[in-house]
Amino acid sequence: MVATFNVPAHPGSSSDDVSARMSRARRRDTSAELALRRELHRRGRRFRVVFRVPGNNRRTIDIAFTRQKLAVFVDGCFWHGCPEHGNKPAANREWWLAKLAANQARDADTDASLQTQGWVSLRVWEHVPAGAAADVVEAWLDRLDSRAASTTTPPGSARASGIGRDR
């Protein structure tokens, strides 16, 4: 069963400039995501991009390592509520608070869904340098490879200290 995350109808943009800026915001292939993908590829890692979450075709994994079942999400600081860089707009404040809370709830639901299917979910903030993020991804890949070679440990959701989201 897929949960729904309802946000009230948008009250309208506070200005034409804001509307234009928001309409240009990328949903995929952001600069942080591209930088991480380039770094992982440079290190010889191969992966799938915009991979559908198993059992939920409306959600996608930014970078998927299907053999190891590692899902990497590069989360935007604004859209996903980074405690360091996220901000709460003053205009249409109540709507934005509901929208950002729904985004975070959807992220948690996605992580839980992946976990029940044996995946590890790793979330990285967009402000983390690509090299540091790639180090964390590679550490998880190595850990998952060694786990597969030895005993199995229940998968879960990964939160790298200072790198990913702490929830």
Side-chain angles (χ1 to χ4, degrees):
M1 181 174 127
V2 177
T4 59
F5 303 95
N6 296 323
V7 176
H10 191 275
S13 297
S14 56
S15 74
D16 290 340
D17 289 340
V18 170
S19 178
R21 186 173 60 247
M22 290 299 187
S23 68
R24 286 190 306 269
R26 299 185 69 88
R27 292 177 181 257
R28 58 181 273 197
D29 298 334
T30 64
S31 58
E33 193 178 319
L34 291 173
L36 177 56
R37 288 180 358 207
R38 277 192 299 272
E39 180 62 21
L40 289 167
H41 196 271
R42 186 189 68 74
R43 294 179 184 198
R45 297 296 186 163
R46 300 301 179 256
F47 45 84
R48 304 279 305 271
V49 177
V50 192
F51 186 77
R52 292 187 191 277
V53 171
N56 188 337
N57 286 332
R58 292 182 52 91
R59 298 182 194 168
T60 58
I61 299 167
D62 296 335
I63 302 169
F65 296 89
T66 56
R67 187 172 57 82
Q68 295 93 343
K69 289 190 167 185
L70 177 65
V72 180
F73 298 92
V74 181
D75 290 341
C77 291
F78 172 75
W79 295 104
H80 297 270
C82 172
E84 189 176 338
H85 300 107
N87 66 346
K88 309 291 189 274
N92 299 322
R93 185 171 183 78
E94 293 305 314
W95 185 86
W96 278 110
L97 292 175
K99 169 65 177 160
L100 299 176
N103 288 353
Q104 291 174 330
R106 187 179 57 249
D107 292 345
D109 182 69
T110 300
D111 292 346
S113 174
L114 286 166
Q115 185 176 353
T116 62
Q117 297 177 64
W119 285 72
V120 171
S121 178
L122 176 62
R123 292 191 174 270
V124 179
W125 291 114
E126 70 178 340
H127 67 263
V128 173
D135 290 344
V136 173
V137 171
E138 285 198 309
W140 271 99
L141 289 169
D142 293 344
R143 179 179 175 192
L144 293 170
D145 284 340
S146 67
R147 182 177 71 190
S150 62
T151 62
T152 57
T153 307
S157 191
R159 299 288 180 259
S161 178
I163 300 291
R165 278 209 292 229
D166 297 320
R167 262 198 278 221

